[in-house]
Amino acid sequence: MQILERPDKASLRGGLIAAIFLMATSAIGPGFITQTATFTARMGSAFAFAILVSVIIDFVVQLNIWRITALTGRRASQTANMAIPGAGFLLAVLVIIGGLAFNVGNIAGAGLGLNAMLGLDPKIGGALSAVLAIGIFLSRRAGLLLDRMIVGLGMVMIVLTVFVALVSNPPVGEALRQAVFPDFIDFATITTIVGGTVGGYITYSGAHRLLDKGLTGPQNLGAVTRAALTGIAVTGVMRFVLFLAILGVVASGVTLDLSGQAANPAAQAFSVAAGEWGMRVFGIVLWAAALTSVIGAAYTSVSFLDVFGVRSERARSIATVCFIAFSLLVYVAMGTAPAAILVFVGGFNGLILPIGLTIFTYIGFARSDLMGGHRYNRLLLWASAATCALTWYMGAVSVSTIFAFLGQ
């Protein structure tokens, strides 16, 4: 294992913020927004229970994968191959497939954003956005500008969502009750929103960012733990606030349209609560979030090609451009509505999630040699094992429901 010097405080803080920001912006994308709107419209206050359970699962998944990655000092696919020969190749293939599904959804989200902003057909908007994403990826200066822009737009999104949550007057008491005592439980919903938050490439993107910043070894475990918890806390709070904003609209008697090629339930909710200007601003934020997610999902997914020998900068760049282009072709060829695609991709990555978590749980229990001889926290490992069993069960009982999303 590569021995790295302990970073100074400034580098440590910068690396942790970078990992938190990368994970949070990857999670709070168009899929996150559309899934929350769709399930709130379908389930009402009972969706609060799904959110609560998903946040608990998210904490366990991210905490263990980030910590074990920091201890091994290697990328996930390399660690998996050393633990179980061939497992790294399997993990890489699954993450890349899941990343492709995410990217199809991200392009769909960009189309929905332009539809809310300008009234443009979602297919045309998605295609234009994918071409722009390739241009931004190839131009480092444009990418830096977009990164800065998304921070500002992210703040606008938070303020707008809080405003809508206040003016829509949601039934908070009922939502809190059903967070603990729901009228019904939908495992497909939980699997979908977990997959959209820590499934596929998302958790590994933050973990690998820590490696790039040299935040490895037992001496950095405390900081890595705080970063993992902070990233999930931010996404959990944001999901609950967004849920309340849309719940207030739904509870007032408004029926959100969840079918059709131009269906955009989140935009509809913001339009009802904040008027025309609210929907247009929401469209800008959704489009920008989707655009950065297209680039981020492609770049992180392609990084898993390392295990297959794709390591040069030029090869990665070519692969990333091809990844985005192929995602666009899949999106254009599909007859499924963009909103349905965004819901499906979360569920699909939720089905993939238990495989990677199982590998990392095994490493924690049985391969201390890969972690420099460190004896991993048993309480966290048993929590990880329980979460593994739960996610495998949820995946088994919800797989047919998740694939049915594509037919909606």
Side-chain angles (χ1 to χ4, degrees), residues 41-364:
R42 288 177 179 169
M43 301 173 64
S45 296
F47 184 45
F49 177 78
I51 293 175
L52 178 61
V53 173
S54 73
V55 169
I56 294 171
I57 293 173
D58 293 344
F59 273 126
V60 175
V61 172
Q62 180 144 304
L63 198 56
N64 281 289
I65 289 180
W66 281 32
R67 283 168 56 92
I68 291 174
T69 298
L71 286 170
T72 62
R74 302 180 187 89
R75 293 188 181 275
S77 53
Q78 295 170 331
T79 302
N81 258 350
M82 295 180 72
I84 307 170
F89 296 118
L90 173 64
L91 183 61
V93 168
L94 291 174
V95 169
I96 291 169
I97 292 173
L100 176 64
F102 257 124
N103 234 23
V104 173
N106 289 332
I107 292 172
L112 288 179
L114 286 179
N115 176 260
M117 190 189 345
L118 303 172
L120 200 63
D121 181 274
K123 289 282 186 182
I124 296 173
L128 291 175
S129 300
V131 172
L132 180 59
I134 291 174
I136 291 172
F137 172 75
L138 295 175
S139 171
R140 295 184 183 277
R141 184 169 297 179
L144 179 62
L145 176 63
L146 188 65
D147 282 343
R148 291 177 177 174
M149 184 178 72
I150 195 63
V151 174
L153 287 173
M155 294 304 297
V156 171
M157 177 68 182
I158 292 170
V159 171
L160 183 61
T161 304
V162 171
F163 171 76
V164 171
L166 291 174
V167 301
S168 66
N169 192 29
V172 178
E174 177 65 10
L176 292 175
R177 181 189 71 80
Q178 294 220 39
V180 183
F181 302 108
D183 289 344
F184 60 92
I185 298 173
D186 187 334
F187 286 121
T189 297
I190 299 172
T191 300
T192 298
I193 60 177
V194 167
T197 307
V198 294
Y201 77 96
I202 295 175
T203 291
Y204 300 110
S205 66
H208 289 178
R209 184 68 169 170
L210 293 173
L211 292 183
D212 293 339
K213 293 293 183 178
L215 299 174
T216 61
Q219 71 275 17
N220 287 311
L221 270 189
V224 170
T225 299
R226 290 191 297 273
L229 294 176
T230 302
I232 292 301
V234 169
T235 56
V237 170
M238 186 62 192
R239 190 185 291 277
F240 199 76
V241 173
L242 181 61
F243 157 68
L244 290 177
I246 297 168
L247 179 63
V249 173
V250 173
S252 70
V254 174
T255 301
L256 301 180
D257 180 17
L258 303 179
S259 61
Q261 285 294 319
N264 193 346
Q268 294 170 44
F270 275 74
S271 177
V272 170
E276 184 76 11
W277 70 271
M279 184 178 72
R280 302 303 178 193
V281 172
F282 170 80
I284 295 171
V285 173
L286 181 63
W287 175 76
L291 198 62
T292 54
S293 295
V294 168
I295 299 169
Y299 184 81
T300 305
S301 298
V302 166
S303 73
F304 273 79
L305 290 175
D306 275 8
V307 76
F308 297 108
V310 180
R311 296 189 177 93
S312 74
E313 187 75 23
R314 177 175 171 75
R316 283 188 180 185
S317 294
I318 293 173
T320 303
V321 170
C322 291
F323 193 91
I324 297 174
F326 184 71
S327 302
L328 172 60
L329 289 175
V330 173
Y331 168 61
V332 171
M334 291 181 72
T336 307
I341 294 173
L342 285 165
V343 174
F344 166 75
V345 296
F348 182 76
N349 280 280
L351 297 176
I352 292 174
L353 174 65
I355 298 173
L357 184 59
T358 299
I359 294 171
F360 273 80
T361 303
Y362 164 73
I363 292 169

Side-chain angles (χ1 to χ4, degrees), residues 64 67-68 71-72 217-218 221 361-382:
N64 281 289
R67 283 168 56 92
I68 291 174
L71 286 170
T72 62
L221 270 189
T361 303
Y362 164 73
I363 292 169
F365 271 117
R367 297 302 304 267
S368 63
D369 58 310
L370 298 178
M371 299 182 288
H374 180 85
R375 189 177 188 274
Y376 195 79
N377 185 297
R378 262 28 194 183
L379 181 60
L380 287 177
L381 278 179
W382 284 114

